[in-house]
Amino acid sequence: MTAPGHSLAIDAGSRYVRLARVGPGGTPEPVEPEGAVPGEGLPVFGAAAGDRGAALRAAYDAYLRHHDAPHRLLVVVPQHDRAAHARRAADALAAPPGAGPAPDVRTLATPHAVLALLRHTGGVAPGRYAVCDLGAAAAEVSVCTVTPGAVAVAATSRHAPDDGYGTGFDTALLTRAGLPPDEDHRRALAAVRAEPGAARRLGLVLDRAARDPGRFEATAVHHVAGRPVTAGAVRSALPLLTDGLDRALAEALGPGRDTPLALVGGVARLGPLRPHLDGAGRPLTALPEGTDPAHAAVLGAALVAAGRVDPADRYPYEVRVGAHRTEAGHPADSELLVSAAGTLEPGGPVVFAEADGRRIGVRTRADHPVRVRVGAPGSGAGTPVRTLTLPGGDATDRFHVGVRIAVDGTAALVLHPLGAGTPGAFPLGILPADIGTDSKEVGP
């Protein structure tokens, strides 16, 4: 049994569900409930196949059969369609009728979980990074702005072939070896890849095959169910991974190639991806020594769940609105700071403009459009977001003005009447998360 009040992190992928918690020494470590594949996690099969919610529930129930219920449960969800994944996780882990209280379930997107691990170990400094989550179903690239107090996702792209990303690659290898691409052979292929020395042999044979195809293309790099998987088969199937990753990187990052990449997910274990990225001039960010890329997200989430590292899932810039005030009897334009850098949290409460710890009351005029701008604190640099036309009030109407960000990243300006009345929300869209300012100046 586990100590009361402990925490747990779960990352439900399309093939395996991985669990982790922080051990007595303060280091995050995988948890392998009964039925787990050593080094992988709980396999997803049967009714849970293709259903992250069902797979998540099954893994959590397997954990509870031998452990006390955690006080805090943090679920890793993809950045793509994050809000929908968060809702499904909450629904899946709600306590069944009569089962007692549900755990405190929260979610953290994959890029924040990975960067939490890297920040905890000193693996990243303030700047711009791309977290590449390479899994069985898809390759997802999230471009992140890291500041001393916040991490924001600036862009996300996803490459998800109909037959899967890593799954499609494995299908091609097994088919070329004359084997049916069923679950048993997929597991056998994964097992031989994990054998000591397998990755080194793969790299050496592929290097030789690249220099002398006629001699080394037919050399076996693995044997699965007695059938050889040759260097030629790997080389011909590899573009299924590299081309897809290149497209996702180009979509998320554009033409620039200097953003460091953190490769995570089960496919990130495959050694040939690194020479391909090196040849393309893309720098890599190393994971902590000994970290399995497939477990990087759940290990980072375990640290967050245990309170060992701040998730920093906050907006890194100030939000300001244009204002008009009277100075010495004359009207003057100014700006009102609504939200300080590093205070807005996706899915969190509205942050209101304050002075000396008290909310500021403002008037609105329908004939004065209001410009909303984001920028770094203490600098004139910034980016306009949107110009809004707000409803006008009479001379006695006052509002508190605030801003909120939903789980899906969309923001809204909020007007809350001081007296009777219904608050109004005015959409701002996705706030810019990479405005090219000196990130070292940005923080809560």
Side-chain angles (χ1 to χ4, degrees):
M1 304 297 282
T2 46
H6 74 285
S7 58
L8 179 70
I10 306 180
D11 182 9
S14 56
R15 292 199 62 202
Y16 293 97
V17 181
R18 298 179 171 100
L19 299 85
R21 64 185 177 216
V22 172
T27 301
E29 55 190 25
V31 177
E32 295 185 343
E34 184 178 352
V37 176
E40 290 288 3
L42 281 166
V44 177
F45 51 79
D51 185 340
R52 281 181 184 266
L56 184 61
R57 182 77 233 186
Y60 184 58
D61 288 344
Y63 177 83
L64 292 181
R65 283 195 283 273
H66 298 280
H67 303 276
D68 293 324
H71 177 64
R72 289 180 301 279
L73 179 58
L74 190 63
V75 179
V76 180
V77 296
Q79 179 65 33
H80 173 76
D81 203 14
R82 175 182 175 181
H85 285 294
R87 287 193 298 271
R88 284 193 287 268
D91 291 343
L93 293 171
D104 177 15
V105 180
R106 301 184 183 183
T107 59
L108 190 67
T110 298
H112 289 96
V114 173
L115 288 168
L117 177 66
L118 291 171
R119 290 186 297 110
H120 180 70
T121 57
V124 294
R128 193 170 185 249
Y129 298 85
V131 176
C132 306
D133 184 16
L134 311 181
E140 186 171 291
V141 176
S142 298
V143 184
C144 302
T145 301
V146 178
T147 74
V151 173
V153 177
T156 298
S157 63
R158 191 168 188 264
H159 172 68
D162 290 341
D163 56 351
Y165 180 65
T167 299
F169 176 73
D170 288 352
T171 296
L173 293 185
L174 292 170
T175 301
R176 285 167 170 80
L179 295 168
D182 55 27
E183 189 58 32
D184 287 342
H185 287 107
R186 292 185 191 281
R187 291 188 189 176
L189 176 59
V192 297
R193 282 180 181 148
E195 291 175 355
R200 184 171 182 273
R201 173 177 172 77
L202 175 63
L204 289 173
V205 175
L206 290 183
D207 285 345
R208 291 169 180 169
R211 293 193 300 268
D212 189 352
R215 184 179 178 187
F216 291 103
E217 286 276 90
T219 302
V221 294
H222 305 300
H223 282 86
V224 179
R227 302 298 296 270
V229 177
T230 65
V234 175
R235 278 163 48 81
S236 63
L238 194 59
L240 294 173
L241 301 180
T242 55
D243 290 354
L245 177 55
D246 287 346
R247 285 196 292 273
L249 288 169
E251 181 181 343
L253 291 167
R257 292 177 176 269
D258 58 346
T259 300
L261 312 180
L263 301 184
V264 300
V267 178
R269 295 164 168 166
L270 194 66
L273 286 177
R274 285 164 177 76
H276 170 77
L277 294 170
D278 288 341
R282 293 196 179 275
L284 299 179
T285 294
L287 298 177
E289 185 175 358
T291 299
D292 183 338
H295 289 85
V298 77
L299 294 177
L303 288 166
V304 172
R308 298 290 179 135
V309 63
D310 178 3
D313 188 7
R314 294 183 288 270
Y315 186 64
Y317 302 121
E318 293 179 339
V319 180
R320 293 178 173 269
V321 299
H324 301 276
R325 61 195 312 164
T326 301
E327 297 179 357
H330 299 284
D333 292 335
S334 64
E335 282 191 323
L336 176 66
L337 174 64
V338 179
S339 170
T343 57
L344 278 173
E345 299 182 19
V350 179
V351 175
F352 288 96
E354 294 185 349
D356 299 323
R358 298 174 62 88
R359 294 182 185 176
I360 297 172
V362 301
R363 290 175 52 199
T364 62
R365 290 178 56 177
D367 59 344
H368 280 177
V370 174
R371 186 183 71 165
V372 181
R373 186 178 72 89
V374 300
S379 76
T383 299
V385 174
R386 183 163 293 183
T387 298
L388 301 173
T389 299
L390 304 178
D394 61 32
T396 61
D397 286 338
R398 293 289 188 276
F399 300 87
H400 292 144
V401 58
V403 65
R404 68 166 179 248
I405 296 182
V407 174
D408 65 3
T410 57
L413 192 75
V414 176
L415 288 182
H416 197 292
L418 269 68
T422 303
F426 304 87
L428 296 173
I430 302 289
L431 297 181
D434 187 5
I435 62 176
T437 58
D438 182 358
S439 62
K440 293 182 180 180
E441 296 180 0
V442 184

